[in-house]
Amino acid sequence: MADAFLVRGGASLHGSLPVNGAKNSALKLIAAALLAEGRTTIANVPAIADIDAMLDVARHLGAEVGRDGDGTVTLDVPGEVGTATPPELVRRLRASIVVLGPLVARHGRARLAMPGGCNLGSRNIDLHLAGLSRMGAEVTYGPDYVEARADELVGAAIELPFASVGATENLLLAAVTARGRTRIINAAREPEIADLATMLCRMGARIEGVGSPELVVDGVDRLAPTHHAVVGDRIEAGTFAVAAALTGGDVTLTGVDPEHLRLALDKLAAAGVDVSGDAAAGLRLRAPGPLRGTDIATLPYPGFPTDLQPQLLVLLSQARGTSMLTENVFDGRFSIVAHLRAMGADIDLEGHHAIVRGPTALRGCEVIATDLRQGAALVLAGLVADGETVVADPHHVDRGYADFAGRLRALGADVERADAARARTPGGLPRAVLGP
Ligand code: EPZ
């Protein structure tokens, strides 16, 4: 069955939607649970494929995993956890590299297959490994595995040349039970890292500087299991905010802190979207009038989030004027442009800049998801395209969005998840020109 999103443009989105727990926090909270023997419970965990993969990694390492219907995950972690993860699991999920720190911290060694996950250009783990080496780990790696060993991890001053989210998290997870003090300088500051630090402190860790560019960790002998609820997903919220803006709708998003996507909301406001509300009442997005072009550059938090870049490219294609979007975080994240061009968008690429001229009418087209944010953005493009858009390979979107079609439908969108053969104009759709 050629599973796909079938999107018919024209509806504007209205209503209220609860935002799920943040994928990019929950994945790391599961790794953190491995640091403490006993039962840890994590609430507000999104029902997405990446979480399924991470829970399989936790099971493989010896944890007993339970999930109830309302998003609470239970992890019963044994005194001895495993120290190796099978290639097929790690290749499904790049983020599983974040178990490296905890495994070395708990048992002095870890052997992981090299990570898989999104194909967003060259995604290295050199900063993770260099930091663990600074803490006394002996790191070796081959073409398809990485191994770290340490009789004892010792606190160190580690300066990150780039505020890497994953490296910050891996090193934080290693430092909380290392001997002595670790300073992570130029640490990433994403809200998901603050969420991880909050849970670790509840487990008994000693962490200062959360939210600042320098984390100071004083190692403790052992951590205790705990309960924690995942922070709201700012990227899922931003995705639905763009959907509301694109369709001239009026949508309220609950369960997310607007401060966690402040710069993205400022850019939506600059483009003519009416942004209001707060964490308690909900974030409200209205787009009564035409959208205006604006320039955007992605940067580590609190800069504009790269995970909203494809979605904003769609929005800028519908905004009046010429906009420049610069991607500073990943070197291969413009895969959506070829598909948007095939739908009629006027976008030129110059290095890590995308120059977008709008507004341009988009026409329904058969396009292909290549990663989760690009795939979600193609569905958003379908919401404003003339006719029907078929987004193939929707499994990429399932990695980070629970029931994406159903949640958009709940706001009034004409989107369904079905066999592509059910497209109203099967075969009649021009296939997207798959450019670079
Ligand atoms: C996390 O990826 C997120 N994933 C990404 O979200 C997000 O785009 C990214 O942070 C930036 O915010 C998860 O949290 C599971 P990085 P991560 O380490 O940790 C380079 C999504 O759509 N780098 O900050 O991999 C790297 O190549 C995903 O939910 C090194 O060179 O991001 C990249 O160009 C996509 N060496 C840049 O830094 C390293 O050792 C950002 O990487 C580590 C990173």
Side-chain angles (χ1 to χ4, degrees):
M1 177 174 112
D3 191 14
F5 288 105
L6 306 186
V7 193
R8 288 130 200 155
S12 66
L13 303 191
H14 289 79
S16 178
L17 188 79
V19 170
N20 286 316
K23 163 177 91 77
N24 291 347
S25 172
L27 293 171
K28 295 43 168 298
L29 302 179
I30 292 166
L34 299 173
L35 283 166
E37 180 179 358
R39 170 168 290 195
T40 288
T41 56
I42 305 173
N44 200 30
V45 176
I48 54 177
D50 274 7
I51 292 293
D52 298 340
M54 193 64 164
L55 291 176
D56 286 346
V57 170
R59 287 187 186 92
H60 182 87
L61 292 170
E64 278 187 42
V65 175
R67 291 178 91 168
D68 66 14
D70 73 356
T72 298
V73 163
T74 301
L75 293 134
D76 287 306
V77 179
E80 290 277 319
V81 293
T83 58
T85 54
E88 65 277 7
L89 277 184
V90 173
R91 288 200 186 97
R92 268 168 66 192
L93 179 65
R94 187 182 182 287
S96 54
I97 189 68
V98 82
V99 302
L100 189 61
L103 295 187
V104 178
R106 274 203 77 182
H107 290 292
R109 69 183 187 286
R111 179 185 174 103
L112 306 183
M114 290 306 273
C118 284
N119 49 355
L120 296 175
S122 59
R123 290 188 67 180
N124 310 311
I125 56 170
D126 53 322
L127 305 183
H128 301 235
L129 305 180
L132 287 173
S133 300
R134 292 269 301 130
M135 297 174 75
E138 184 196 341
V139 175
T140 53
Y141 46 104
D144 60 356
Y145 76 90
V146 61
E147 187 162 333
R149 289 175 176 275
D151 294 335
E152 179 186 44
L153 287 176
V154 180
I158 302 166
E159 179 149 9
L160 294 176
F162 178 88
S164 156
V165 170
T168 301
E169 293 162 335
N170 228 334
L171 297 173
L172 181 59
L173 287 162
V176 288
T177 58
R179 177 164 56 82
R181 172 165 285 192
T182 298
R183 292 170 53 220
I184 304 175
I185 301 147
N186 193 26
R189 299 159 57 189
E190 274 68 4
E192 293 77 27
I193 293 175
D195 202 32
L196 173 63
T198 301
M199 178 172 152
L200 288 168
C201 289
R202 282 204 184 124
M203 297 171 74
R206 294 171 54 200
I207 306 169
E208 299 294 332
V210 177
S212 84
E214 180 168 338
L215 292 174
V216 179
V217 185
D218 288 312
V220 295
D221 291 337
R222 72 176 43 244
L223 296 176
T226 190
H227 172 78
H228 183 78
V230 185
V231 69
D233 192 325
R234 62 193 169 100
I235 304 300
E236 183 186 65
T239 304
F240 283 101
V242 170
L246 272 171
T247 59
D250 181 348
V251 170
T252 297
L253 300 168
T254 57
V256 67
D257 182 347
E259 285 314 303
H260 290 168
L261 64 164
R262 179 50 54 206
L263 202 64
L265 295 174
D266 290 350
K267 285 297 178 182
L268 289 179
V273 179
D274 182 82
V275 179
S276 61
D278 55 29
L283 169 61
R284 186 176 180 186
L285 297 305
R286 280 170 291 179
L291 297 170
R292 300 187 294 269
T294 184
D295 293 339
I296 293 170
T298 69
L299 284 169
Y301 192 87
F304 187 91
T306 175
D307 291 347
L308 288 178
Q309 177 257 88
Q311 300 90 317
L312 262 290
L313 271 182
V314 177
L315 186 127
L316 294 175
S317 79
Q318 302 307 300
R320 185 180 306 141
T322 300
S323 307
M324 181 185 288
L325 191 152
T326 303
E327 171 58 58
N328 293 309
V329 176
F330 287 105
D331 57 12
R333 196 168 205 171
F334 282 133
S335 65
I336 193 172
V337 170
H339 301 260
L340 292 181
R341 279 190 186 130
M343 296 177 76
D346 179 351
I347 305 176
D348 290 321
L349 289 180
E350 291 175 21
H352 65 157
H353 304 290
I355 292 86
V356 189
R357 296 172 190 84
T360 54
L362 299 182
R363 60 182 174 275
C365 184
E366 187 171 339
V367 291
I368 300 175
T370 52
D371 71 74
L372 75 98
R373 307 302 176 187
Q374 175 260 14
L378 287 173
V379 173
L380 300 192
L383 296 178
V384 289
D386 178 32
E388 182 179 55
T389 300
V390 176
V391 182
D393 291 354
H395 63 275
H396 287 289
V397 179
D398 297 340
R399 292 187 51 208
Y401 293 91
D403 189 18
F404 195 48
R407 287 158 64 75
L408 284 168
R409 254 199 326 275
L411 294 172
D414 184 352
V415 183
E416 63 173 321
R417 183 71 175 267
D419 189 320
R422 285 201 38 212
R424 284 188 191 148
T425 52
L429 286 167
R431 280 188 68 80
V433 174
L434 300 188

